[in-house]
Amino acid sequence: MRVNLSIYRAVLLGLAMTTGAAQADHPELNPNVTDVHSGDTVKVARIPGTIYLRTQNDPDDLIWDRLPVYRTELYSAPPVHASVILRFDEDTALEPKHLYFQVARSDERFYMRLRWKDATEDRGTTVDRFRDGVAVQYAIKGPDTSFMMGSGPDKPVNIWYWQSGQEQVDNLAAGGYGSTTRLPEQIVAGASSYITDEIVQDNQWHVVMSRPLKVEGEHQVDLSRDSIPVVFALWEGHHDQRDGDKRVSPNWILLDNSKG
């Protein structure tokens, strides 16, 4: 099977920019949730210095009930590697998956909270089982960077990658396919909870990742910038997703990090 990636990306981008996109997996209406598409801008919320989470990355702290919630759609990533092409399902590639996110900062830390529905809690990897995972990718220089792992060494990306079964977040950088590197400075922290429901399909992962605003080292996203391009990636183990087989944002969403 051959996949025309330029056509595939154009289709995804078109879906993301129109309200006529295919219905996602759980299209409940919630007036407190704002739908976000590629190219949109969302405001980074401010956490006052007098308010603290129960623990540094508590995914279910009451503070999250007070902050704006955004919802975006993820689609199957283009199959750029031979191993992924063998597992690529054209019939489901354009079916969107909802990811909810909240983004905030205090005087010292930057927080990203993610949640999504997942009927199964996949915490381990064996020969035929795979972990759940989620990643946040930041353009280090600007939105003209390729959202597909960066545009080479001159326009790299910083990636925060969480996997179930371990309360840690890998701090990575990439400058194109095959260049993903674990950075020496592992300064991104995280925590998660898996919330069960009477209806199994409504089970959810809640994940928080955070990092100090000021850090040292190369290839770290500058969290003091007024505008920060971001995209998301999601792996569901019960769908045998791993490596390049994942769901991703079709293009950059801009975080408005200004003080206004």
Side-chain angles (χ1 to χ4, degrees), residues 146-216:
S146 170
F147 74 100
M148 297 299 295
M149 307 299 288
S151 301
D154 294 332
K155 292 182 179 179
V157 294
N158 184 202
I159 303 167
W160 299 356
Y161 177 38
W162 170 90
Q163 294 182 84
S164 60
Q166 52 188 34
E167 291 301 342
Q168 69 178 53
V169 180
D170 288 328
N171 188 27
L172 311 170
Y177 297 117
S179 66
T180 304
T181 302
R182 194 170 190 268
L183 295 173
E185 300 82 14
Q186 289 300 304
I187 49 181
V188 183
S192 65
S193 62
Y194 185 74
I195 310 300
T196 58
D197 191 274
E198 292 182 1
I199 301 175
V200 173
Q201 287 76 14
D202 288 339
N203 292 352
Q204 292 191 37
W205 275 111
H206 295 181
V207 176
V208 169
M209 308 183 205
S210 74
R211 199 206 77 183
L213 295 177
K214 298 180 180 180
V215 297
E216 297 182 354

